[in-house]
Structure formats: C-alpha cells, structure tokens
Amino acid sequence: MNVSEIDEFIGAFLILIGSVISVISAMGIIRFPDVYTRAHAATKSTTLGVQLSLVGAFIYIWMTEHFISVRLILGILFVFITAPVSGHLIIRAAYRSKVKMTEDTVEDELKPVLGNKMDVH
C-alpha cells in the first residue's frame, strides 16, 4: 500500500464510521420515550456522525483530487455550530411548552431555575 491508498482508506473509513453512528442515532430517535431524550440522540450522535462523514469526504477529496473543498469546510463548521444550538433550543421550547417528561426521569434541573417564569405567558 502506498500513501495515497492509505489516505483513501482513512477517508472511506471515517465516512463508514460516520454512517454507522448516524444509523445508531436514527434508532435512538425512534426508540427513546420522550422529546428530551430524542433530541439528545438527534443532536449528539447525529452531529458526530455527520462530522465524521464530512471530514472523511474532505480527506478523501483532498488526498485523491488534491483539492481543498471550501464547501466541505463550511459544512463542517455549520453543522458543528448549528446542530447543538438547535437541539438546545428545541428542548428549551418543549420544556417551556410543558411537554411531559417520561416517568423514568429522576430530576428536573430546570425547575428551580425557571420556577415562576413558567407560569407567565
């Protein structure tokens, strides 16, 4: 194996691992009981899966075509910034809309923080 084949393998391997993590995340979104745990699966795992796939594509294109894709770099940065923030906002909106937590939830850490603010509309 020469260096070019190793670089192609690394890129393809990262894409494969990112795809597997994305499938696991999709299963978590389907199987988890409430919006809070589903949003956790959607933001944490999917962000990692998409990041690995984009980094793998970036490495593969960079090593095979000798071309640095600015679009992939921007995609990596965009997903890295927006996915966790959007997940946080979705969970916060669900909490403020009084979406029920599952019965297995042990502690509500936002109740002492938001307490009286939840009653104001």
Side-chain angles (χ1 to χ4, degrees), residues 45-66:
S45 318
T46 305
T47 301
L48 179 62
V50 170
Q51 291 292 356
L52 285 174
S53 296
L54 289 176
V55 168
F58 177 78
I59 290 173
Y60 185 82
I61 291 171
W62 183 26
M63 294 303 165
T64 58
E65 305 291 328
H66 304 292

Side-chain angles (χ1 to χ4, degrees), residues 73-113:
I73 293 172
L74 289 175
I76 290 167
L77 291 174
F78 184 74
V79 170
F80 184 72
I81 293 170
T82 59
V85 172
S86 64
H88 174 78
L89 292 175
I90 289 170
I91 292 171
R92 193 69 167 232
Y95 188 83
R96 288 184 179 267
S97 298
K98 299 181 182 173
V99 175
K100 297 286 184 197
M101 294 182 187
T102 183
E103 291 83 28
D104 297 334
T105 302
V106 177
E107 184 178 354
D108 183 3
E109 293 181 1
L110 277 179
K111 190 165 189 156
V113 175

Side-chain angles (χ1 to χ4, degrees), residues 1-11 59 63-64 66:
M1 281 183 111
N2 59 18
V3 175
S4 177
E5 290 174 350
I6 293 172
D7 293 336
E8 289 177 16
F9 176 77
I10 291 171
I59 290 173
M63 294 303 165
T64 58
H66 304 292

